[in-house]
Each structure stands twice: as structure tokens, then as C-alpha cells.
Amino acid sequence: RASPAMWSATASRLRQRVVAAASNSARGALVQTPGDASVVWPLLRPGLGTRGFFFPRKNWFPWRVRIVRQRQAACRQKRHIWPRRVNPEEAPIFGVKEDGTQLSFREKEIRMGTKKLLDYARIIRNKQIQDAVDWVESMARMKSEPILKLLKKAMKDCGEKRRMDLARVYVFDAQPMRGFFVKSIRKMSRGNYGVNKSPRNMFMIRVREMPMEEWFHKVYIYNKVPRSIATDMRLALHQNRVSPQMQKEWSPYLCSSSRMFHRKELKWLDKTRQFDYYEARREWIQKYKANLMRASTEAREARGLPALSL
């Protein structure tokens, strides 16, 4: 008969083998921690791990969360390229959010609780307005109709009435607001009656047209291109609605691979002192405004009229 000590030793060896096999099969990311020399965190992708998506991560301590967030902040900071010398004659890179040009839109009497509305606010906040519409439309939920109606009303007002450039219009704030309750009587079992309270809450979004200098930095330097714009570019190339030369012109925006190579090229030019931030920004803004004016310019040239000045 085996002794309890033998059984415990056998169980510990089996446990070590299972852990070793799991660590060898799963792909790991090496993360330096102050306590250990290295800790391997497996990247649990579909087919590589058994943990569910909503299952809490093991050993996800606050100090480890802090290290990961510091690393993410460092990676975000690394994407930027700043001017080597500040030119006071040039416009600043980032515009003021509260400069009085923001627009607010509100939808009243929405039959949803504030907790559900807060989920929609988190989804569309800090997104381009067309991307926000696409996100809400892709849910295919009947409850999302008031949010979708509000976003489309904001797009129509900004584009047709205010004559804004919709590519630069961003939802920089979205907040649910408490309203009132509508009480109704509901018949229950055994001749009893209850009172139903249905919410009628409000939802407000605030949009702003991003300044041209900030738009250049976000799209060309930081290289966060709205998905709707990148998708339209790829679709135009696929359907042969533009010349193949545009693939080279649109390479900083087309897909994740082309954007990565664009950022690497900018970093190399900046390291070798061949990149002038302000000059590149002036050329990019001039070309962008020319593209915006192209439709009206071609129509005026067809009528024999001079082109409008930028």
C-alpha cells in the first residue's frame, strides 16, 4: 500500500508537469516585475487557453495593474513626434475643448435605465461621429434606436446647417441624465395589483470640430485613423473608383500594416533630423484643404470660372 507521503509527492509531480506543459504550449509575454526576475503571462487567445473571457485573471494584483498601465502610457507617449523647437508663430498642436464652438444635442424620454445609457456613453465617447454611428448600428438592438437617432441628428445639423467637416467632428462627451418615471398598474396573480415604474431618462452628447492642427497630429503623426475613413479608402481601391496611385498616397491611413510602416518611417526621419514638423503640417493642411475644395473647384472650372482661393 502506498503511503500518504508517496501520494502527495506523486500529485505534486503531476501538477508540475501540467504547469510545465501549459506554459510551453501557450504563448507568453515576458513582463519584468520588482519581485521576480521574470513572470510569464500567457496570452489566452481562442484555442490557446481554457479561461473564459469574463473569468477574473489570476494574481492580477494592484501593483501588477499599475505596472501594465504605466507601460501602456509609455507606449502611447512613444507614438508621438513633437517639434524639436517650439515656434510661437505657429498654431498650437492641441485646441481647447471648451472654446465655445461645441454643440450639444439631447434626446428626451428614452425608455432605458441610466446604467444602460452609461454603456452607450462609454462606447461612443471620444470617437469620430461616423464611427460612433457605425458602432451603435452594429449592435442591431431595438433599444439603441434613440441613441442612433440622436447621433444622426447631430451629423445632419453639423454637416448641413453648420457646414462642418464631418471627418473632423468628434463626440468628446456623452452623458446620461436622469428623467422621471411613468407609473402604471399591472395585474398580478390572485387578484393582486402592482405598480410598474418605467424610466424616461435623457441622453446628451457634445461634439466639436477638431482644429486642423490637432487633426493632422492625430491622423498623420499619432496615426489614429477613424475606421470609417480607412474602410472607405480600402473600398474605393477595391472597386477601382480611384487610380492605383492613391494606394501610395493613402498608405499612412489604409490598414494597420501600412500605418505601422508609416510610423517607423516618421520615427527614422525624426531621428536623423530630416523631419520638419511645422513644414510637414503646412503641406498636409494645404493638400487637405485642396481636396475639400476639389468638387467646387472642378465645377467652377467647367463653367470657365476661376478657382476659389484656399
Side-chain angles (χ1 to χ4, degrees):
R1 297 177 62 183
S3 63
M6 186 181 299
W7 281 113
S8 63
T10 305
S12 65
R13 284 197 296 269
L14 287 174
R15 194 179 302 111
Q16 291 174 1
R17 290 179 183 176
V18 170
V19 172
S23 62
N24 289 333
S25 61
R27 298 178 182 177
L30 197 62
V31 180
Q32 299 291 335
T33 61
D36 296 333
S38 61
V39 179
V40 175
W41 292 348
L43 301 175
L44 296 176
R45 298 177 181 174
L48 292 179
T50 58
R51 178 180 67 86
F53 182 77
F54 293 103
F55 197 85
R57 304 186 204 185
K58 189 178 180 181
N59 299 331
W60 197 241
F61 303 113
W63 58 266
R64 187 167 286 174
V65 174
R66 185 171 63 252
I67 291 173
V68 171
R69 288 181 178 173
Q70 288 174 356
R71 177 60 182 163
Q72 290 173 347
C75 289
R76 288 194 297 268
Q77 190 67 22
K78 191 178 178 181
R79 288 175 69 112
H80 291 283
I81 295 178
W82 307 108
R84 295 195 172 271
R85 294 177 181 84
V86 178
N87 189 353
E89 297 180 358
E90 295 284 348
I93 296 176
F94 298 106
V96 182
K97 287 188 177 181
E98 301 289 345
D99 58 353
T101 61
Q102 293 76 26
L103 300 175
S104 300
F105 300 92
R106 187 171 61 175
E107 185 72 18
K108 298 181 180 179
E109 297 190 16
I110 300 176
R111 300 186 180 186
M112 263 191 294
T114 53
K115 192 173 181 181
K116 292 286 183 66
L117 291 175
L118 189 60
D119 292 337
Y120 284 102
R122 287 171 180 159
I123 288 173
I124 67 175
R125 192 179 290 134
N126 296 326
K127 282 188 172 59
Q128 194 226 22
I129 191 165
Q130 182 61 53
D131 281 2
V133 170
D134 294 341
W135 269 89
V136 177
E137 275 186 341
S138 64
M139 294 181 183
R141 292 183 180 179
M142 291 183 64
K143 288 287 187 178
S144 64
E145 289 298 324
I147 312 298
L148 192 59
K149 176 185 173 184
L150 178 63
L151 290 171
K152 289 185 175 179
K153 182 178 74 172
M155 281 187 63
K156 184 176 180 180
D157 187 88
C158 293
E160 298 180 3
K161 184 178 179 181
R162 312 281 178 172
R163 309 301 296 175
M164 291 183 177
D165 180 15
L166 290 180
R168 294 187 285 138
V169 176
Y170 274 73
V171 182
F172 78 96
D173 189 21
Q175 297 291 341
M177 307 171 72
R178 284 197 181 275
F180 56 92
F181 288 94
V182 175
K183 295 181 180 180
S184 59
I185 299 176
R186 178 183 178 183
K187 186 177 180 180
M188 306 176 73
S189 62
R190 299 181 181 180
N192 296 324
Y193 289 86
V195 177
N196 274 355
K197 295 174 66 177
S198 303
R200 299 291 190 273
N201 293 320
M202 296 175 285
F203 193 77
M204 183 186 70
I205 62 172
R206 301 179 67 196
V207 300
R208 63 186 284 257
E209 186 181 22
M210 194 174 287
M212 200 69 77
E213 293 79 15
E214 186 177 353
W215 176 241
F216 162 77
H217 189 86
K218 184 179 183 64
V219 174
Y220 191 79
I221 301 294
Y222 195 68
N223 216 206
K224 285 291 183 180
V225 185
R227 291 188 177 184
S228 57
I229 294 179
T231 305
D232 290 343
M233 288 179 174
R234 292 195 297 267
L235 196 61
L237 286 169
H238 180 71
Q239 296 176 350
N240 296 324
R241 288 190 280 112
V242 294
S243 64
Q245 178 66 22
M246 298 308 296
Q247 188 171 356
K248 182 179 179 181
E249 296 287 333
W250 290 347
S251 60
Y253 324 106
L254 276 179
C255 59
S256 60
S257 178
S258 67
R259 290 194 289 265
M260 183 266 294
F261 283 112
H262 167 69
R263 290 195 303 271
K264 288 182 69 174
E265 182 182 3
L266 284 186
K267 284 288 182 182
W268 181 80
L269 291 173
D270 185 59
K271 293 287 185 182
T272 55
R273 305 295 199 275
Q274 301 181 56
F275 182 71
D276 188 353
Y277 184 93
Y278 293 122
E279 183 180 354
R281 188 173 73 176
R282 283 192 295 269
E283 294 177 357
W284 190 89
I285 290 176
Q286 185 177 4
K287 191 181 297 184
Y288 185 85
K289 289 182 177 179
N291 288 335
L292 289 179
M293 299 286 292
R294 189 179 64 180
S296 59
T297 301
E298 290 177 353
R300 291 176 65 87
E301 289 179 353
R303 293 176 175 85
L305 300 173
L308 295 174
S309 59
L310 296 178

